[in-house]
Amino acid sequence: MLQAPFPELDDLLEMMGEAGRHLAEIEASEGAAGNISVCLRWPIELRTRFPLVDEFQLPLAVPELAGATFLVSGSGRRLREIIVEPTANIACILVQEDGRTGKIYTSHQRRFEHVTSEFNSHLAVHYDQVLSSGTNFHAVIHAQPPHLTYLSHVPRYQEEPYLNTHLLRWQPETIVNLPEGIGFIPFCIPGSPELMAGTVASLRQHRIVIWAKHGVMARSDVSVKRAADRVEYAETAAKYEYLNLCAGEIGEGLSVDEIRAICSTFNVQQNIF
Ligand SMILES: [Zn+2]
């Protein structure tokens, strides 16, 4: 939830750009992989930057979000290029009164035909989170960090208790930033209704979820960069785990007692350890 004064359109585009660039820096968005969206529920002027207006059919009805605006990355666009020319890579969707249709605002520089093919999952997560928390701001990122994605191919990491007790043991910050741990959903076809439903359910309990054999989705009701940080914290944990596997599992990791002491010192509620 954000307090007034609310960020302007240009501020939001810049934050999406910085998050996109950082995801590329940590190698979590090769080629045109990954996508970003934000939901804002205060009125915002779109036409000066995005003068072209068209009808848009929402992938699901979101009646309570009438009047909300989504800023969404375009299909096939590179996250690292958003910062260079945001209007070429982002569309704005204003939800109409019926909650089933939108107006899509784009610019003359637009370099995509459609918004990201994962927009159904983005919209469903925004909707679920806004309904449950009442937030006026929500950011969602899909990225493909290699160590997390690699571990999702290894059967024993496909169980959430095993995944979390092994990944959250390498640095004190991990449990502090991801106290609910990392969610996991089995492989689903990209853009499918199964992926959308699984993601919504998992992100009710977690701040980030692994899409098996594909990547992750992370959320934040504070900022786009906070959602990107969550990708980075989880990916760093997976990188340590991967290093440990390569080194013949000689690392100890933080002990359960050490992690519990960290949690009691920093007042972290968790039930993983
Ligand atoms: Zn993907």
Side-chain angles (χ1 to χ4, degrees):
M1 188 89 170
L2 300 189
Q3 309 295 330
F6 298 121
E8 304 278 347
L9 181 59
D10 283 346
D11 301 327
L12 292 161
L13 294 173
E14 187 177 339
M15 286 187 267
M16 291 174 80
E18 287 177 358
R21 182 176 60 190
H22 191 58
L23 290 165
E25 284 167 355
I26 66 167
E27 301 183 342
S29 67
E30 74 280 9
N35 30 74
I36 301 180
S37 70
V38 303
C39 169
L40 31 132
R41 297 175 69 209
W42 58 88
I44 193 155
E45 209 287 303
L46 301 171
R47 278 203 117 128
T48 43
R49 303 282 260 134
F50 298 93
L52 306 177
V53 188
D54 242 314
E55 303 298 321
F56 185 85
Q57 187 66 43
L58 295 169
L60 67 151
V62 292
E64 294 86 348
L65 292 186
T69 302
F70 296 94
L71 311 184
V72 189
S73 56
S75 177
R77 301 311 307 157
R78 299 172 188 89
L79 296 190
R80 60 185 174 274
E81 293 180 352
I82 293 173
I83 196 152
V84 181
E85 198 177 11
T87 55
N89 298 296
I90 302 285
C92 312
I93 297 166
L94 176 62
V95 181
Q96 299 299 289
E97 280 307 309
D98 63 7
R100 307 187 66 88
T101 60
K103 297 267 188 220
I104 182 165
Y105 293 74
T106 56
S107 87
H108 293 287
Q109 288 77 41
R110 168 179 175 171
R111 289 207 205 105
F112 53 91
E113 184 119 8
H114 304 289
V115 298
T116 169
S117 58
E118 304 290 2
F119 185 57
N120 62 338
S121 287
H122 284 254
L123 179 62
V125 170
H126 287 304
Y127 186 42
D128 192 65
Q129 290 291 319
V130 167
L131 286 191
S132 65
S133 73
T135 185
N136 59 2
F137 175 88
H138 197 251
V140 169
I141 287 175
H142 163 53
Q144 302 185 177
H147 297 87
L148 280 169
T149 306
Y150 171 69
L151 292 180
S152 79
H153 288 264
V154 180
R156 62 187 197 252
Y157 294 96
Q158 295 166 358
E159 302 294 328
E160 279 184 11
Y162 188 95
L163 172 79
N164 282 294
T165 50
H166 285 76
L167 266 60
L168 274 63
R169 62 181 168 151
W170 297 112
Q171 286 184 321
E173 286 89 346
T174 322
I175 189 80
V176 175
N177 285 289
L178 303 172
E180 304 89 358
I182 301 165
F184 183 93
I185 53 178
F187 178 75
C188 301
I189 296 295
S192 64
E194 294 73 28
L195 182 59
M196 176 179 85
T199 304
V200 167
S202 186
L203 286 181
R204 258 178 217 155
Q205 292 161 34
H206 305 95
R207 302 173 191 191
I208 181 167
V209 58
I210 295 177
W211 290 354
K213 307 178 183 179
H214 181 167
V216 298
M217 184 166 263
R219 62 172 172 82
S220 168
D221 59 6
V222 174
S223 75
V224 191
K225 286 162 89 171
R226 187 71 66 94
D229 286 346
R230 288 172 179 167
V231 176
E232 189 171 17
Y233 286 123
E235 170 62 358
T236 301
K239 193 187 261 183
Y240 276 106
E241 183 67 15
Y242 174 82
L243 284 174
N244 193 48
L245 292 176
C246 293
E249 303 197 66
I250 56 175
E252 277 188 327
L254 293 158
S255 68
V256 169
D257 286 345
E258 286 166 339
I259 292 176
R260 286 180 183 162
I262 293 162
C263 293
S264 73
T265 304
F266 294 99
N267 219 0
V268 174
Q269 306 297 320
Q270 58 91 18
N271 52 19
I272 297 167
F273 295 92

